[in-house]
Amino acid sequence: LESCELLDLKSKQWTQLPSLTTKRNACAAVLVEAPTASYIYVVGGENGIQPLATTEVLNLSQPMGWTTLPMTMNHPRHSFALAAIDKRYLVCIGGITANNNGPPLDSSELYDIHKQQWLQIPATMTTPRWGCCCVTFDSHILVMGGYSSDPYNQDGKGIFLASAEMLILQQDLPEPPALIPFPIDSSKINLTRQERIVALQDWMTQIQLRKAVYENQVGVAQNREENYCAHQTRIADEEIAKLKNKIAFYESERLIYRENKDSRIAMMESMAKPWFDAVQQQLEDAQDQVDSLTARLDRKLSSSSLQSRSSSNVVAQQQQRQQQKHRRRKKLAEECPDDLMCPITLELMVDPVIALDGHTYERSAIERVFAATPRGHMPRSPVTGANLPSYNLIPNVAIRRQCREYQN
């Protein structure tokens, strides 16, 4: 369509406006209010054949007809976002170009109403998008949502976007007004004194007026920069405060972890020490019993008169080997690491196996425990006392290797 209509919210009536000079779809429009009039700018779109790069403007104060601007966009596009900045600039963002079926654009263009020219914005969006929307505040443009795929692609794999991006425009400084030539020159030498005074007074009035206007523009620009700097400084201070709070939080967490570590280590040592003391006492009691039994056996063998001398020598050698073996086992048991010692026999393991309670035992010792279990009951763990789910035993090859290395 090329038609335009205006809705009056008070009367709730639609009024027909002059038609556009070019039929267009998926275009964008924005209202720009000047000191003496209000203008509607319609930018881009597509006419069913190709995307458009033209711009039309309508003066709402005197809606006689649309005027097509002589300058066109650098890239024809449609389905893009359009914003007005400071009643002077139009900014179009994203959209689709390239014969109406290309990929979305990540570029932006700026139209300077005063200079009547389109400029390519160097910065590009991080995500190409079309069908997006935007809002403006100060010199910022916030672009949101849209679609990130070719709209005419038949694969149906387009992505609806939930992301947003911000463009910050650097506003131009106010340009100094042109100087007015001095009114008294050689061409006006024949003026009377009164005429010269009037000419000089008019010239001074114009100079003062331009000075006041330029001072106001400079003041507005300075206030804008000060407000922007204060805003950015406030944001930076807030971020710094958040970071300081995070640092303080993590510092306190680190101290708490250190204190907890020390207390837990001390607690584990206090809990483990009685057990180690009890085990050491049991080992000493068992050794005392072994020594007593060995002494009784020695006395019994020495008092026997029925054995021959050769048999006595054999017994003595056997006793000597047993004593050496006992002393060696005693020394190994005293110096044996806990992870190489069977919890049942309290001796260095020869054939270590892992039960389903996760502990390692001497195979013969744990099998005796299993054999002593009443029929119909599950065996209990010698360490934890909990029921074992089965009688399965797994050879502990690593511990067996360590036991052999330690014994050698």
Side-chain angles (χ1 to χ4, degrees):
L1 299 176
E2 74 276 17
S3 61
C4 302
E5 298 183 55
L6 177 67
L7 174 63
D8 188 341
L9 294 178
K10 293 183 179 180
S11 62
K12 300 181 181 180
Q13 297 292 327
W14 285 95
T15 303
Q16 192 75 29
L17 293 178
S19 299
L20 295 167
T21 59
T22 303
K23 295 182 179 181
R24 58 184 76 213
N25 170 52
C27 55
V30 69
L31 175 68
V32 177
E33 295 183 356
T36 58
S38 298
Y39 298 90
I40 295 180
Y41 288 83
V42 176
V43 185
E46 55 97 9
N47 59 5
I49 301 175
Q50 62 184 2
L52 302 174
T54 58
T55 302
E56 300 185 43
V57 59
L58 175 67
N59 186 349
L60 285 179
S61 302
Q62 300 176 353
M64 302 300 296
W66 290 87
T67 302
T68 302
L69 301 181
M71 300 299 296
T72 60
M73 290 188 290
N74 297 293
H75 298 285
R77 63 183 75 203
H78 68 86
S79 303
F80 58 92
L82 181 66
I85 299 291
D86 290 344
K87 302 179 181 180
R88 176 176 176 178
Y89 303 105
L90 305 182
V91 181
C92 60
I93 305 167
I96 300 175
T97 185
N99 295 328
N100 207 25
N101 60 355
L105 297 173
D106 59 359
S107 62
S108 304
E109 298 186 45
L110 181 144
Y111 179 71
D112 191 331
I113 297 176
H114 294 176
K115 297 181 180 180
Q116 296 186 356
Q117 62 179 355
W118 283 96
L119 301 174
Q120 187 75 30
I121 297 177
T124 59
M125 291 187 292
T126 57
T127 303
R129 62 184 74 212
W130 67 278
C132 52
C133 61
C134 68
V135 293
T136 63
F137 56 97
D138 295 335
S139 299
H140 300 65
I141 302 178
L142 181 62
V143 184
M144 300 161 287
Y147 204 66
S148 68
S149 175
D150 182 354
Y152 298 94
N153 195 347
Q154 300 301 322
D155 59 4
K157 297 181 180 179
I159 300 176
F160 290 96
L161 297 175
S163 59
E165 303 182 45
M166 181 175 292
L167 173 66
I168 302 177
L169 296 177
Q170 183 66 36
Q171 294 184 344
D172 296 334
L173 297 177
E175 299 179 359
L179 294 177
I180 302 176
F182 196 71
I184 307 300
D185 54 17
S186 58
S187 62
K188 299 180 180 181
I189 194 68
N190 295 327
L191 293 178
T192 64
R193 181 178 300 176
Q194 185 63 30
E195 290 174 342
R196 291 184 179 182
I197 291 174
V198 172
L200 288 173
Q201 288 178 343
D202 292 342
W203 179 80
M204 293 173 61
T205 300
Q206 295 180 25
I207 290 295
Q208 293 292 341
L209 179 60
R210 293 196 179 189
K211 178 183 176 183
V213 172
Y214 186 55
E215 287 179 347
N216 180 64
Q217 293 176 350
V218 171
V220 170
Q222 290 177 346
N223 291 335
R224 182 177 63 241
E225 293 298 327
E226 290 178 356
N227 292 335
Y228 179 74
C229 181
H231 176 70
Q232 294 299 115
T233 302
R234 183 172 63 256
I235 294 177
D237 292 340
E238 292 175 354
E239 293 298 325
I240 291 173
K242 292 179 181 178
L243 290 176
K244 288 182 177 179
N245 292 335
K246 286 186 177 180
I247 292 173
F249 172 76
Y250 288 124
E251 287 288 346
S252 62
E253 288 292 314
R254 183 171 63 177
L255 293 177
I256 292 173
Y257 291 149
R258 287 181 177 178
E259 293 176 357
N260 290 343
K261 179 198 70 174
D262 296 338
S263 61
R264 288 179 64 84
I265 290 176
M267 183 182 299
M268 286 188 288
E269 291 178 350
S270 63
M271 292 174 60
K273 188 177 184 303
W275 185 86
F276 285 116
D277 293 343
V279 169
Q280 185 64 30
Q281 185 63 40
Q282 291 177 355
L283 291 174
E284 293 177 357
D285 294 342
Q287 186 61 48
D288 292 341
Q289 294 180 11
V290 170
D291 294 341
S292 176
L293 293 173
T294 302
R296 292 175 60 185
L297 182 61
D298 292 341
R299 288 194 300 269
K300 183 177 180 180
L301 292 175
S302 61
S303 62
S304 178
S305 59
L306 299 177
Q307 296 179 352
S308 62
R309 185 175 181 179
S310 59
S311 298
S312 300
N313 293 335
V314 172
V315 171
Q317 292 176 0
Q318 291 178 352
Q319 291 178 354
Q320 185 178 3
R321 286 196 298 269
Q322 289 179 356
Q323 291 176 359
Q324 291 176 354
K325 186 177 180 180
H326 172 71
R327 286 194 297 269
R328 184 180 179 186
R329 288 185 177 178
K330 179 179 180 182
K331 183 177 180 180
L332 289 175
E334 292 176 351
E335 300 176 356
C336 177
D338 294 339
D339 54 349
L340 304 182
M341 182 186 298
C342 175
I344 301 174
T345 63
L346 302 177
E347 292 181 354
L348 181 68
M349 290 181 286
V350 178
D351 186 11
V353 292
I354 303 174
L356 294 187
D357 61 350
H359 295 278
T360 301
Y361 305 89
E362 177 64 29
R363 181 184 292 274
S364 60
I366 190 65
E367 287 179 348
R368 287 196 299 270
V369 174
F370 288 173
T373 302
R375 181 176 299 178
H377 293 77
M378 298 305 295
R380 290 182 177 272
S381 169
V383 176
T384 63
N387 288 335
L388 298 177
S390 72
Y391 291 82
N392 292 339
L393 297 174
I394 303 171
N396 195 331
V397 180
I399 295 297
R400 180 188 300 170
R401 186 182 303 110
Q402 295 178 18
C403 290
R404 290 179 179 176
E405 292 175 356
Y406 176 79
Q407 190 173 9
N408 293 334

